Amino acid sequence: MPRVLIIGGSLGGLFAANLLHDLGWDVEVYEKVGDDLAARGAGIGTHTELLGVLAQLGITIDERLGIEAAERICVDRGGRELYRTRWGHIMSAWASVYRPLKDRFPAGRYHFGKGFRSFEESSGGVIARFEDGSEARGDLLIGADGLRSAVRGQLFQGVEPRYAGYVAWRSIVEESALPAATREWLGAGYWFVLPPGEMMLCYQVPAKDPKRAGRDWNWVWYRPVTPAQLADISTDLTGRNHGIAMPPPLIRPDVTASIKSDARRLLAPHIATLVERSQPFFQAIFDVESPRLAVGRVVLLGDAAFVARPHVGMGVTKGALDALCLYKSLQQSGNPDAALARYDRLRGEFGRRCVARARRLGAYIEFPERRLDQRPERVLHEVAAALSDIPELALEV
Ligand SMILES: Cc1cc2nc3c(=O)[nH]c(=O)nc-3n(C[C@H](O)[C@H](O)[C@H](O)COP(=O)(O)OP(=O)(O)OC[C@H]3O[C@@H](n4cnc5c(N)ncnc54)[C@H](O)[C@@H]3O)c2cc1C
């Protein structure tokens, strides 16, 4: 049986691992982090195509996986309605997708605490080398190691994530931690507030802990942040700079206080309450485009291949569809070179188009001085739209 080494055991890696395991391949997953990832992550939007891949894997789509947001509503900072439209998408949580994928995959083949260092191609196969000095040999190596992919770094020197000039402040709040009036006002809507050059949105997601009753509220607030400001908010109380990987508990109290006070000033009162009742953290927004997705016996997948800004709401769906395309390509062709060429062509085109669309949706935040179109009618229809409503992304998988 062919053997595949997957670097990165997050969602992209786990989709590929489960699908290729079902194809009868001998699959090993190597994850740098030393323990379960389920405690991390926040809310995610889903697409019919993502639910399709989960269904193919036999994963049940019920209220533990997602909650339907029936309407999108945009309000001003006084809470007055500006625009309302029917919606009907399932909103999920990162952990709700991670958990069933992780549980479905044989535990003995998932290796925590295994940081990949480099690879070497040899006689039709690939050798992966790890930080602990060990190595593994396979017929195929999949780089599913995310934004700062070390696999991509070895394939394409100089292809680096490009900072978009803004960050997503975000968090999750337990519904029970909110005042009754706020719960009632929010209902089950998918809310937007659009301060000039910014975008705040919030929606309900399944409770992070599946044993807990009730739901959580997920919020995301995109705000322009210069590189100098980013360096400041990434610096903890001891003066240490954490780059883009700032652990939420280390964010300085003055930084948190300032985002909470801005929320009171710029957002509708009940939406500001979500910010006030949570521990906000931030993720810097980047674009990544890889020139190729398959070179020899090495493949890139998910965020390692392309990172589109979150406005397309497609990080997880794109990873799942990359994995599905690789699975189908390998299933259909007895020739691995032809299979990988098909994957490279189809997912390369999808990734490039996805990054371009997301960049366009975020352009008004990236360039606030240009005062680009941020009308609610446009934003509410285009952000995280269904794939079936985006002609340029209707591509074969
Ligand atoms: C902990 C976590 C929480 C997230 N939360 C959200 C969220 O709330 N909403 C959302 O839309 N998206 C979230 N994402 C991103 C989302 O999961 C991705 O856009 C999407 O799932 C594509 O995932 P990926 O597997 O390609 O990349 P990622 O999810 O970034 O995963 C890459 C994985 O590779 C591992 N890795 C990195 N370098 C190495 C190495 N050298 N050796 C071995 N392993 C390595 C990382 O630890 C990570 O687990 C989150 C990602 C992570 C890791």
Side-chain angles (χ1 to χ4, degrees), residues 25-321:
W25 281 48
D26 180 0
V27 184
E28 303 289 337
V29 176
Y30 302 95
E31 168 55 50
K32 181 168 72 174
V33 171
D35 53 15
D36 202 66
L37 305 174
R40 312 181 195 185
I44 54 166
T46 72
H47 292 264
T48 312
E49 293 76 4
L50 170 66
L51 302 179
V53 183
L54 290 167
Q56 174 172 340
L57 293 171
I59 292 171
T60 319
I61 317 290
D62 59 16
E63 68 285 350
R64 274 170 305 163
L65 190 90
I67 296 170
E68 184 174 330
E71 278 190 311
R72 283 185 159 188
I73 312 117
C74 183
V75 289
D76 67 11
R77 68 190 173 102
R80 286 172 294 269
E81 184 175 318
L82 298 173
Y83 185 73
R84 181 182 288 259
T85 184
R86 290 190 53 72
W87 194 241
H89 282 210
I90 308 278
M91 308 314 293
S92 186
W94 191 88
S96 307
V97 180
Y98 170 79
R99 220 175 275 111
L101 286 173
K102 174 76 175 63
D103 290 348
R104 191 186 181 278
F105 187 71
R109 291 180 171 276
Y110 188 108
H111 311 281
F112 281 113
K114 274 290 210 191
F116 163 88
R117 179 172 280 158
S118 63
F119 69 81
E120 184 189 321
E121 290 210 57
S122 73
S123 55
V126 189
I127 299 166
R129 299 209 163 83
F130 298 94
E131 281 162 6
D132 61 6
S134 63
E135 56 181 52
R137 181 182 288 270
D139 300 288
L140 185 67
L141 178 84
I142 299 180
D145 49 345
L147 176 74
R148 301 256 170 222
S149 170
V151 178
R152 185 186 66 234
Q154 188 175 337
L155 280 179
F156 308 114
Q157 278 159 22
V159 175
E160 296 287 336
R162 184 189 149 270
Y163 178 53
Y166 56 101
V167 306
W169 278 98
R170 60 188 312 184
S171 195
I172 274 192
V173 200
E174 287 181 27
E175 196 177 40
S176 57
L178 297 173
T182 297
R183 287 206 301 268
E184 199 176 318
W185 188 86
L186 290 168
Y190 185 139
W191 297 88
F192 283 78
V193 193
L194 302 174
E198 305 192 9
M199 185 192 300
M200 167 70 167
L201 51 89
C202 59
Y203 51 81
Q204 280 186 319
V205 293
K208 197 164 185 170
D209 174 358
K211 293 185 226 77
R212 174 163 52 78
R215 296 169 170 188
D216 291 339
W217 274 90
N218 179 70
W219 63 268
V220 187
W221 188 2
Y222 300 99
R223 312 196 74 193
V225 169
T226 63
Q229 288 167 331
L230 185 58
D232 174 52
I233 62 177
S234 308
T235 301
D236 67 20
L237 274 176
T238 69
R240 179 169 165 218
N241 185 291
H242 295 266
I244 58 156
M246 180 81 180
L250 296 188
I251 296 176
R252 297 194 317 270
D254 63 296
V255 175
T256 308
S258 150
I259 188 90
K260 292 187 176 184
S261 107
D262 285 355
R264 270 285 156 232
R265 193 164 52 80
L266 297 169
L267 305 178
H270 290 298
I271 294 178
T273 301
L274 293 179
V275 179
E276 279 181 336
R277 300 274 170 122
S278 58
Q279 184 185 29
F281 61 97
F282 63 88
Q283 282 175 277
I285 304 299
F286 290 95
D287 300 313
V288 176
E289 289 185 87
S290 298
R292 303 258 316 269
L293 298 198
V295 179
R297 291 287 184 271
V298 181
V299 165
L300 296 175
L301 181 148
D303 282 8
F306 288 93
V307 176
R309 302 180 192 181
H311 317 302
V312 280
M314 222 172 282
V316 178
T317 301
K318 184 168 70 58
L321 293 180

